[in-house]
Amino acid sequence: MRKKGNILKRVSACLLAAALLMSSGCGSTSTTGSASADTTEAAEQQAATGTESGSEEGTQAQTETEESMYPLQEKVHLTLAMVEEPQVTANATDLAATPFGQAWQEAAGVELEIMQLADGNAMNLLYASGELPDMILYNGYTGGHEKAIKDQIIEPLNDYMEYAPDLAEVLDENDIWRKSAMTAEGNIVGFPFIRGDDYLRTTAGLIIRKDWLDDLNLEMPQTPDELYQVLKAFKEKKGAEVPFTANTVWFVDYGIKQGMLTSPFGLAKGDFYQIDGTVHYGYAEEEYKGVLEYLNKLYEEGLLDPNFQTLDDNAVKANMMNGLAGVTVGNAGGYLGTMVQTMESDPDFDLAGFGPLVANDGDIPMCTNYEASLPGTFVIITPACQNKEAAVKFLNYGYTEEGNMLFNFGIEGVSYTIEDGKPVYTDLIMNNPEGLTKQLALAQYTRAWQNGPFVQDKEYYLQYADLPQQQDAVAKWSTSEASEYTLPPVTVAEADAAEYSKLSGDITTYISEMTIRYITGLESLDTFESGYLATLKSMGVDRLIELQQAALDEFNAR
């Protein structure tokens, strides 16, 4: 394991390099390079030890600090703003009142007050108010992280990392995590939520009525034509009124944007992707026409739910459980698991996941649902915080061994026990005596079900999605080449953020509208090249891709 000071070395060197670059424009000479190298080396040594280069006192002091950090010697009162989570407030007033929140406060020695906001709009109003709490559960800011720093929303952690040794160690262990937690200017944004294993990055995909497949003696579909034939059979022989049912979020955002339906047509995904470091935008490529032609065919033949634009999750699941549909797109927990458990009384009902479509049986799909390991959710410290040192120590707790167990599994002996060296959820979570679902029970005792300042553990998901159908589905959904095509969580430079936001907003709105029009036949696909692609060009899609390319190049160079 790397020493916990390394992230401090990197940040110190990054900021110093930036300062030297700015000064080099004013009368620098040929000796600047060697001087910079010497200064950087000294700075790195000092940052690594926490004192003068070569001294052992810094390491000793750091060890003593870690051993005595929790609970904090003097209990402090801290405020945290976050958007209300219905899963939490279904059984508690707010996060601080849950057994998890109580345990976190007790272990860290902090009194936590939650400022609960109605939605994202309320969060934006909070940002604009100028009256900020000590901490915010933050999921982005218009203009990017660096803009949030300049607008006095975020207090960067650079000067406080000595109080967060466990976070420093975590970031030091994974180069992508380290880069993702920083801005292009070298500022550490906050305490990130991190998916600690690739297994956790894929949780959704295509779902099918396996009992119908078996009854009709059909193979699991892999190609567009095979899926078409299965949907026709479901309609004609099982009486499915809407063989493929899904709402816009799952069908468009997951099925197309993330690439579950695009590989057979030579397109990795609808969203931005990369090939050998070069950025592409699937929605703006000619291959996208093939995807739309296929989906339009399903729609015109009554195989795709005509109400996909207006359905909510409950309606989609009802279609699947009531025999109106046989294929959908959803996740392993709230969709597949919920439906299987709801239909336990029907011994014939069964579901299965199947992989993203491919051109030929046995091919590996280009992309799938593959979320970022560090998706951009942080708990940030605000400049308004009067006790930043205590706040940093409080949030660092989630990355300690004790904190990791609390955040992922809850309270030992209550929500989990250790069996054969592994944490195992008790019946309080898995078979809640009050009838709570796993998610609602987890929401009272952990943060593993959602996000927060910690590293999510694979063992959480293996137990949360523990049905054989769920385990098999995740394995099938995960099989892809997505890691080769997926962009890391890049950030457009602050100077370009306003331009990017305007371009992206206009272009994505147009793409969404035209995608629906093409699928439903309101717009002829004869206009795809001369109308759709030409319009994207005129709207500045090439510039949008150029800005993404610059962001990727900058990220790779961090």
Side-chain angles (χ1 to χ4, degrees), residues 181-253:
M182 299 171 66
T183 68
E185 289 77 4
N187 288 310
I188 303 175
V189 177
F191 291 81
F193 168 65
I194 301 172
R195 297 184 176 99
D197 192 282
D198 256 13
Y199 187 84
L200 295 164
R201 298 177 68 174
T202 299
T203 60
L206 293 160
I207 300 170
I208 196 165
R209 284 286 300 261
K210 186 175 184 300
D211 53 318
W212 286 5
L213 272 184
D214 293 344
D215 187 48
L216 297 173
N217 198 29
L218 296 172
E219 296 294 326
M220 192 71 73
Q222 297 183 51
T223 69
D225 184 62
E226 289 172 359
L227 178 58
Y228 171 77
Q229 296 299 333
V230 165
L231 293 173
K232 283 190 66 176
F234 285 177
K235 186 177 183 69
E236 296 167 0
K237 299 179 180 179
K238 285 296 181 181
E241 296 178 14
V242 286
F244 191 160
T245 187
N247 59 33
T248 303
V249 171
W250 288 106
F251 178 57
V252 178
D253 289 357

Side-chain angles (χ1 to χ4, degrees), residues 469-502:
Q469 296 95 327
Q470 292 172 306
Q471 300 282 324
D472 180 67
V474 172
K476 289 176 179 173
W477 296 337
S478 301
T479 303
S480 79
E481 297 174 334
S483 61
E484 297 181 20
Y485 294 99
T486 302
L487 292 177
V490 300
T491 304
V492 173
E494 188 202 349
D496 299 322
E499 179 188 9
Y500 182 86
S501 179
K502 177 67 167 63

Side-chain angles (χ1 to χ4, degrees), residues 28-343:
S28 61
T29 69
S30 59
T31 61
T32 302
S34 60
S36 298
D38 293 342
T39 307
T40 301
E41 182 178 358
E44 290 182 350
Q45 290 177 349
Q46 185 170 347
T49 60
T51 181
E52 294 181 1
S53 177
S55 171
E56 296 181 0
E57 295 177 8
T59 302
Q60 181 179 353
Q62 177 176 295
T63 302
E64 291 173 355
T65 298
E66 291 172 31
E67 290 176 350
S68 61
M69 188 180 293
Y70 304 106
L72 302 185
Q73 293 182 358
E74 294 184 11
K75 180 170 284 190
V76 297
H77 179 271
L78 295 172
T79 54
L80 170 66
M82 60 186 295
V83 172
E84 181 180 357
E85 297 167 340
Q87 297 91 332
V88 170
T89 55
N91 296 284
T93 55
D94 58 37
L95 181 66
T98 63
F100 162 80
Q102 294 291 310
W104 186 14
Q105 293 173 78
E106 182 179 354
V110 166
E111 182 182 89
L112 181 63
E113 177 185 346
I114 300 295
M115 180 186 295
Q116 201 155 248
L117 306 176
D119 51 29
N121 290 330
M123 182 67 77
N124 290 332
L125 291 174
L126 175 67
Y127 291 148
S129 72
E131 298 180 2
L132 300 178
D134 298 314
M135 305 170 292
I136 297 173
L137 181 54
Y138 160 96
N139 195 29
Y141 183 77
T142 302
H145 303 321
E146 200 62 39
K147 181 74 161 52
I149 292 170
K150 291 189 176 180
D151 287 350
Q152 296 292 295
I153 303 298
I154 294 176
E155 179 76 25
L157 297 184
N158 301 51
D159 294 336
Y160 304 96
M161 286 302 289
E162 63 183 293
Y163 307 117
D166 299 281
L167 171 63
E169 182 174 23
V170 165
L171 296 181
D172 216 37
E173 291 175 344
N174 187 298
D175 198 45
I176 294 294
W177 296 356
R178 176 185 63 81
K179 291 178 178 180
S180 302
M182 299 171 66
T183 68
E185 289 77 4
N187 288 310
I188 303 175
V189 177
F191 291 81
F193 168 65
I194 301 172
R195 297 184 176 99
D197 192 282
D198 256 13
Y199 187 84
L200 295 164
R201 298 177 68 174
T202 299
T203 60
L206 293 160
I207 300 170
I208 196 165
R209 284 286 300 261
K210 186 175 184 300
D211 53 318
W212 286 5
L213 272 184
D214 293 344
D215 187 48
L216 297 173
N217 198 29
L218 296 172
E219 296 294 326
M220 192 71 73
Q222 297 183 51
T223 69
D225 184 62
E226 289 172 359
L227 178 58
Y228 171 77
Q229 296 299 333
V230 165
L231 293 173
K232 283 190 66 176
F234 285 177
K235 186 177 183 69
E236 296 167 0
K237 299 179 180 179
K238 285 296 181 181
E241 296 178 14
V242 286
F244 191 160
T245 187
N247 59 33
T248 303
V249 171
W250 288 106
F251 178 57
V252 178
D253 289 357
Y254 280 72
I256 301 175
K257 185 176 182 178
Q258 297 193 15
M260 298 176 192
L261 302 169
T262 62
S263 283
F265 308 98
L267 187 67
K269 61 198 301 187
D271 203 3
F272 291 104
Y273 64 96
Q274 64 172 322
I275 297 179
D276 297 328
T278 299
V279 172
H280 296 255
Y281 194 31
Y283 291 120
E285 298 186 348
E286 292 182 2
E287 289 80 3
Y288 187 41
K289 183 178 182 180
V291 180
L292 296 172
E293 286 174 334
Y294 176 71
L295 296 177
N296 173 252
K297 176 183 177 181
L298 298 186
Y299 185 89
E300 292 292 342
E301 295 191 25
L303 302 178
L304 176 62
D305 196 328
N307 299 313
F308 72 88
Q309 298 176 68
T310 58
L311 294 176
D312 61 17
D313 288 344
N314 289 332
V316 171
K317 286 181 276 190
N319 285 343
M320 292 289 289
M321 292 186 289
N322 295 336
L324 299 178
V327 173
T328 191
V329 186
N331 57 21
Y335 262 72
L336 195 155
T338 295
M339 288 189 282
V340 168
Q341 291 177 321
T342 301
M343 298 296 289

